[in-house]
Amino acid sequence: MSLFRYTFWRLLQTIPALFGISIITFALINAMPSDPVAIMLGPEQMASEEAIEAARERHGLNQPVHIRYLNWLVAVVQGDLGVSFYYNGVSVSDKILERLPATLLLVFASFVFSISLSIPLGIISAARRNKLADHIARIISLIGVSTPSFWIGLILIIVFGYYLRWLPISGLPMPYADPARVSGAETQFEVLLQTLRHLILPTIALGTLRMAAVTRIQRSAMLEVLNSGYIDLVKAYGVSGRTIMRKHALKNAQLPVITIIGLQISGALGGSVLIETVFNINGLGRLIITAIEAQDYPLIMGTTLFFGIIFIIGVVVTDIAYAYVDPRVSYGGES
Amino acid sequence: MLGNNKPSKRSNSNSSRRKFIGYIGGGALMTTMAGCLGGDSDDPASSGDDDTSDDSTEDTQTGGTLTFAQAGAPIKFDPIDETDGASSAVDAQVYSHLFRYGEGPDPTAAPPHSLATDLPEWERDGSRMIVEILDYAEFHNGDHLTAEDVQYTFEQPLVEETNLMSQFDIFTDIELVDDYTLQFDLDIPYEGIVHAMVQPIVPKDAREANRESFGLDTVIGSGPFELVDWAEGEFVRFERWDDWWGDELPNVEAMEWIPIEENTTRFAELSAGEVDIMEDVPPQLFEQFDADPGVDVFEADWLNYFYAAFNFNEGETTKPEVREAIDYCFTVETVIEQQVEPVGSVLHGPLPGALAEQWEMPVSEWEAHWNDRDFDRAAELFEEAGVPDDWTCEIVAPPGETREQVGISIANGINQAGYDASMRALDWGSFNEITAEQSADECNIQIVGLTPDPDPHSFLDLVFHSEGALNDAQYSNERVDELIDDGQRTVGFEDRQPLYEEAIGHILDDRAHIPLYNLKRTYGVSDNVSNFSVHPIRNPSLFTNRNNVSVQ
């Protein structure tokens, strides 16, 4: 099977998964006892019955649940995610696209941070097993995996924003933003610099957990490969340790790392919810929080579906990367 | 001055020592601040914004940009169709109001910044109001503000069935007497309607030209600031409108409001000088304000009322002895001191402190109604009432750390008096469902709060009238109903006050609720800001009839 056909087939398989996500999400939000209209009008306010009914009718909430779901599904198939209750009729798609760049930038930066640190750290740790470098790497990764991202974020804010005042702690201007709309920037280059400065702390906060997890996986994968028979054979031929690492061990040790990186896409998106709140970044994570707090059904459904799509794409890309790295893995059919 | 409107600063040690201690104690500080993620969300939705009492500082400096950190993100600036307090606060800068509050919760002070030239003129025994407006007010687009714009502002919520419709459905007719005079006819006489008329006035023509984009792409008001740019969730930028029709211009030339929801981040931005004023200081951060010489906390009692309401529908709490026994299970002052202060004050009656003071209520008599903790007496009363030994008092509260903690304190007291009690913090949906049913198996006491219009009628009618919209507990007393109804129809403070005083006396005798506390509005303010103050109802107060904030 060709790569193209394999990718196409895998993408087709995502449709039932997305369908399942939408049904579960819709069922869950409708199972909640809260009334979105009561939240819209203020739970402790004295909205009249007429106002409540008018709002319910305006948003189609007076229809049975299954009808609402079918209406939503038909609209989604036509590319319409509906309009937000909370944002006064703004299209959910527009809202997601408006917030997406900040989240993608943050997640991408956190992956660059975590991978660029974790892979060398894991390799060094494995190559110098039970030596000082290994101990340090293991302690760092242990702390990283056991500390919540939002707490790391708050500590970074307190140290670098409150005490040292070295770095900005709030907001994330996009590099393409109009300089007139970005504080402290007059040129596009200055906007880019502001973006990078604003990105540092949230990137560390979001990337630390991933960095630590990948370091641990990389280390154990490397150790497993280094202890295998073919490495002993290569050693017996007198190949240098560095060449063994680079040519014979590293690539073979990447399979579990690729798996964990692929799965961590969903973790990073989930982590962005808290990190965006802590660092006041106007991304999809904060949008989801707003949607849930406001019981904005269309927005919850739209953002959940979107996150589901990104997660599934991550899994598919992981599968493809897997096959690329390991020739034993085929695109289906004969092995 | 009605608000406890002061900057609070509890320590004055010198700054180098403070810095040293700050660094040494960094770990403890981090723990405290890191523990402030999120906020106490039990602030009830406010029905208003704007105006002040004064700060002692008299510095005035014109120019400069003021940066204000909001605790929530505004989403739309159309006063006819909006639901969130963050947007209303923006509206208060951009739009002019028909009336505005003076120092306290009384909008009939007719200050000069309001559009109305004077107090409303009452006719037809209080069921008709004549209001005259200024004939020289203009909108930012140069259009004259006329009575037609005012009429449109009050009629449109009913036409469009927006969230304001319940506030304005008391009007049976709004007629234009001339270009600058309106006649409001009311369904029933009600003086307190003036509070609902502290309403930003929108330009009819501009809004009708494109109703969909009004408040999003087009924001045209008649206030002292123009909204020049905004990005949802990121910032709102204002510039002073130098052609404003008012007597005086704001001192600050421009403002940038940024929403920062996380408390610690908001405080760190204030402390770092990135922000001049921050909204909502959580109790955990008061100590950090004390330790930082560059920032102060400004606070004022907010006009809300938090209470423990007994289930009058069924179960043990329908017995007066049981309600009295529960009162003996805790001392309200102690609980509020431990769980609510410094962001709230204890209450002994169903009106918040500033309103009770304005309405000359016998607050000290109210205080005498409530007992100090006495478990023996509580146990006796429970026994007298025939409460079975296996009874469990179910306490429920909607989300909010403060409410939950108060509920736990009450439950602990009941436990110590020999009965089981459980406190459950519920999401709003579950809470509404359970309190609507009023089953004794699910709810014996509910801990909740409200922030209606600052008129005694609003507070009493909602939760104590047998047909009150928020009387979930199903308290009912015919005499109280009569007094509340009479109070609504009566015109004039002198005649209304005794009716409400008597009604509250009956309510306290019945122990319908145990009044608990009212929250405070709190703001963190940098020392480069002068003339800032906090109003019990409308905030932030940046440019009002009594203060004009400057920034260095």
Side-chain angles (χ1 to χ4, degrees), chain A residues 41 44 99 163 165 278 280 282, chain B residues 29 163 232 259 265 271 449:
Chain A
L41 302 183
E44 287 172 291
R99 299 289 190 97
Y163 282 127
R165 300 184 182 181
V278 169
N280 201 39
N282 213 26
Chain B
L29 170 62
N163 304 322
E232 190 276 310
T265 314
S271 183

Side-chain angles (χ1 to χ4, degrees), chain B residues 317-437:
Chain B
T317 51
T318 57
K319 301 170 185 169
E321 298 87 354
V322 172
R323 299 197 294 276
E324 191 179 353
I326 291 171
D327 175 30
Y328 272 113
C329 291
F330 67 104
T331 304
V332 68
E333 287 86 356
T334 309
V335 170
I336 302 310
E337 187 185 327
Q338 289 171 352
Q339 309 295 353
V340 184
E341 290 178 1
V343 295
S345 313
V346 67
L347 289 180
H348 296 106
L351 298 183
L355 197 64
E357 190 180 326
Q358 185 202 339
W359 281 77
E360 299 173 10
M361 292 292 170
V363 178
S364 53
E365 282 178 30
W366 294 354
E367 195 175 340
H369 270 80
W370 307 103
N371 302 304
D372 284 344
R373 189 172 68 179
D374 184 340
F375 296 131
D376 294 337
R377 180 68 187 133
E380 277 173 29
L381 286 163
F382 279 129
E383 201 176 328
E384 268 177 41
V387 177
D389 291 342
D390 61 350
W391 179 62
T392 298
C393 182
E394 299 287 348
I395 305 173
V396 295
E401 194 185 330
T402 309
R403 275 189 286 241
E404 191 177 339
Q405 291 303 321
V406 171
I408 289 169
S409 300
I410 297 172
N412 288 340
I414 296 169
N415 281 328
Q416 292 192 48
Y419 289 86
D420 281 342
S422 83
M423 163 64 212
R424 285 185 296 157
L426 305 167
D427 66 84
W428 273 107
S430 307
F431 177 82
N432 288 338
E433 205 168 272
I434 284 175
T435 52
E437 283 180 15

Side-chain angles (χ1 to χ4, degrees), chain A residues 174-247:
Chain A
M174 289 290 101
Y176 50 79
D178 181 351
R181 302 185 90 192
V182 178
S183 299
E186 288 178 2
T187 64
Q188 207 62 47
F189 180 68
E190 285 175 350
V191 173
L192 177 64
L193 289 180
Q194 286 284 14
T195 304
L196 294 174
R197 290 185 73 233
H198 279 83
L199 205 49
I200 294 171
L201 296 183
T203 295
I204 296 171
L206 185 59
T208 300
L209 172 64
R210 264 140 287 284
M211 183 268 286
V214 175
T215 300
R216 289 163 71 88
I217 298 289
Q218 179 72 66
R219 178 182 179 275
S220 59
M222 282 297 285
L223 284 176
E224 194 180 331
V225 171
L226 289 174
N227 288 330
S228 58
Y230 82 92
I231 294 290
D232 290 340
L233 183 67
V234 175
K235 277 183 189 167
Y237 277 111
V239 179
S240 72
R242 184 166 294 189
T243 307
I244 291 172
M245 277 287 183
R246 189 165 46 83
K247 288 189 74 174

Side-chain angles (χ1 to χ4, degrees), chain A:
Chain A
M1 188 185 286
S2 70
L3 176 62
F4 177 77
R5 283 187 64 192
Y6 175 77
T7 307
F8 179 73
W9 180 241
R10 290 290 285 117
L11 287 175
L12 268 186
Q13 289 175 335
T14 65
I15 292 172
L18 290 173
F19 187 66
I21 289 171
S22 72
I23 287 185
I24 292 169
T25 310
F26 201 86
L28 284 176
I29 57 179
N30 279 283
M32 288 195 285
S34 312
D35 181 356
V37 172
I39 291 171
M40 244 183 274
L41 302 183
E44 287 172 291
Q45 294 291 62
M46 45 216 151
S48 65
E49 276 302 312
E50 294 82 20
I52 290 170
E53 280 312 309
R56 196 162 274 140
E57 196 174 333
R58 196 161 55 240
H59 297 297
L61 293 168
N62 52 349
Q63 294 176 320
V65 176
H66 64 283
I67 298 291
R68 279 194 278 138
Y69 178 72
L70 286 176
N71 288 343
W72 177 84
L73 195 61
V74 168
V76 167
V77 169
Q78 295 169 345
D80 177 11
L81 289 175
V83 293
S84 163
F85 298 168
Y86 181 72
Y87 290 104
N88 288 295
V90 172
S91 149
V92 170
S93 314
D94 288 351
K95 211 70 214 172
I96 289 173
L97 290 176
E98 180 188 305
R99 299 289 190 97
L100 180 63
T103 301
L104 286 185
L105 181 60
L106 176 60
V107 169
F108 176 74
S110 77
F111 268 85
V112 170
F113 165 79
S114 63
I115 291 169
S116 60
L117 280 181
S118 60
I119 291 182
L121 214 53
I123 293 168
I124 292 167
S125 183
R128 296 170 188 267
R129 188 179 184 189
N130 291 331
K131 294 190 176 154
L132 181 64
D134 182 30
H135 293 313
I136 291 172
R138 286 163 69 189
I139 289 169
I140 290 173
S141 58
L142 184 67
I143 293 171
V145 291
S146 50
T147 311
S149 302
F150 75 89
W151 198 82
I152 294 174
L154 287 171
I155 296 302
L156 291 172
I157 284 174
I158 292 164
V159 173
F160 293 99
Y162 180 71
Y163 282 127
L164 301 174
R165 300 184 182 181
W166 286 353
L167 289 165
I169 55 173
S170 168
L172 176 60
M174 289 290 101
Y176 50 79
D178 181 351
R181 302 185 90 192
V182 178
S183 299
E186 288 178 2
T187 64
Q188 207 62 47
F189 180 68
E190 285 175 350
V191 173
L192 177 64
L193 289 180
Q194 286 284 14
T195 304
L196 294 174
R197 290 185 73 233
H198 279 83
L199 205 49
I200 294 171
L201 296 183
T203 295
I204 296 171
L206 185 59
T208 300
L209 172 64
R210 264 140 287 284
M211 183 268 286
V214 175
T215 300
R216 289 163 71 88
I217 298 289
Q218 179 72 66
R219 178 182 179 275
S220 59
M222 282 297 285
L223 284 176
E224 194 180 331
V225 171
L226 289 174
N227 288 330
S228 58
Y230 82 92
I231 294 290
D232 290 340
L233 183 67
V234 175
K235 277 183 189 167
Y237 277 111
V239 179
S240 72
R242 184 166 294 189
T243 307
I244 291 172
M245 277 287 183
R246 189 165 46 83
K247 288 189 74 174
H248 301 286
L250 186 56
K251 194 173 175 184
N252 289 336
Q254 294 313 302
L255 281 177
V257 175
I258 288 170
T259 309
I260 191 84
I261 288 174
L263 293 175
Q264 286 202 352
I265 290 175
S266 64
L269 286 170
S272 72
V273 172
L274 287 173
I275 296 303
E276 285 177 9
T277 304
V278 169
F279 287 96
N280 201 39
I281 294 170
N282 213 26
L284 273 181
R286 261 175 77 191
L287 186 66
I288 285 186
I289 295 274
T290 305
I292 293 170
E293 283 177 353
Q295 296 258 311
D296 188 339
Y297 290 179
L299 202 51
I300 295 174
M301 290 299 294
T303 47
T304 309
L305 192 70
F306 192 79
F307 269 45
I309 290 170
I310 290 183
F311 176 68
I312 287 170
I313 288 173
V315 171
V316 172
V317 169
T318 304
D319 287 353
I320 295 166
Y322 224 88
Y324 172 76
V325 172
D326 187 352
R328 292 168 302 180
V329 178
S330 76
Y331 300 125
E334 69 279 16
S335 62

Side-chain angles (χ1 to χ4, degrees), chain B residues 58-121:
Chain B
E58 291 299 332
D59 303 345
T60 53
Q61 181 172 333
T62 57
T65 299
L66 179 95
T67 309
F68 175 66
Q70 287 188 281
I75 52 173
K76 191 180 183 185
F77 312 110
D78 177 1
I80 287 178
D81 182 23
E82 70 190 9
T83 52
D84 65 302
S87 302
S88 300
V90 171
D91 289 350
Q93 318 304 317
V94 177
Y95 295 90
S96 296
H97 300 70
L98 186 56
F99 293 101
R100 293 189 92 168
Y101 287 97
E103 285 195 9
D106 180 5
T108 55
H113 293 170
S114 62
L115 288 166
T117 57
D118 209 340
L119 305 178
E121 195 179 305

Side-chain angles (χ1 to χ4, degrees), chain B residues 488-508:
Chain B
Q488 181 178 17
R489 294 192 190 94
T490 305
V491 177
F493 173 85
E494 296 301 327
D495 294 326
R496 292 180 79 202
Q497 195 279 345
L499 300 172
Y500 293 130
E501 186 178 329
E502 187 189 337
I504 293 171
H506 292 300
I507 290 164
L508 296 182

Side-chain angles (χ1 to χ4, degrees), chain B residues 205-358:
Chain B
D205 292 342
R207 190 172 183 274
E208 283 299 303
N210 193 343
R211 210 187 277 180
E212 292 299 311
S213 71
F214 190 84
L216 294 170
D217 304 323
T218 310
V219 183
I220 299 170
S222 56
F225 289 97
E226 287 183 279
L227 193 153
V228 290
D229 192 11
W230 82 288
E232 190 276 310
E234 293 183 39
F235 61 81
V236 181
R237 290 188 182 139
F238 309 80
E239 280 178 10
R240 183 174 62 203
W241 185 31
D242 288 329
D243 296 328
W244 193 48
W245 45 267
D247 298 334
E248 187 191 0
L249 283 174
N251 286 331
V252 292
E253 196 173 312
M255 295 196 291
E256 175 160 324
W257 288 22
I258 47 177
I260 305 178
E261 287 157 20
E262 167 40 38
N263 293 327
T264 305
T265 314
R266 214 160 56 244
F267 169 70
E269 288 283 58
L270 177 73
S271 183
E274 297 294 323
V275 158
D276 300 307
I277 303 173
M278 68 170 266
E279 194 172 45
D280 286 356
V281 179
Q284 303 95 317
L285 286 182
F286 269 65
E287 280 182 22
Q288 312 317 324
F289 274 86
D290 285 348
D292 190 332
V295 294
D296 286 314
V297 177
F298 280 63
E299 59 191 28
D301 278 344
W302 193 2
L303 295 187
N304 49 36
Y305 165 56
F306 285 82
Y307 56 92
F310 292 109
N311 182 343
F312 274 76
N313 181 47
E314 61 180 38
E316 300 299 331
T317 51
T318 57
K319 301 170 185 169
E321 298 87 354
V322 172
R323 299 197 294 276
E324 191 179 353
I326 291 171
D327 175 30
Y328 272 113
C329 291
F330 67 104
T331 304
V332 68
E333 287 86 356
T334 309
V335 170
I336 302 310
E337 187 185 327
Q338 289 171 352
Q339 309 295 353
V340 184
E341 290 178 1
V343 295
S345 313
V346 67
L347 289 180
H348 296 106
L351 298 183
L355 197 64
E357 190 180 326
Q358 185 202 339

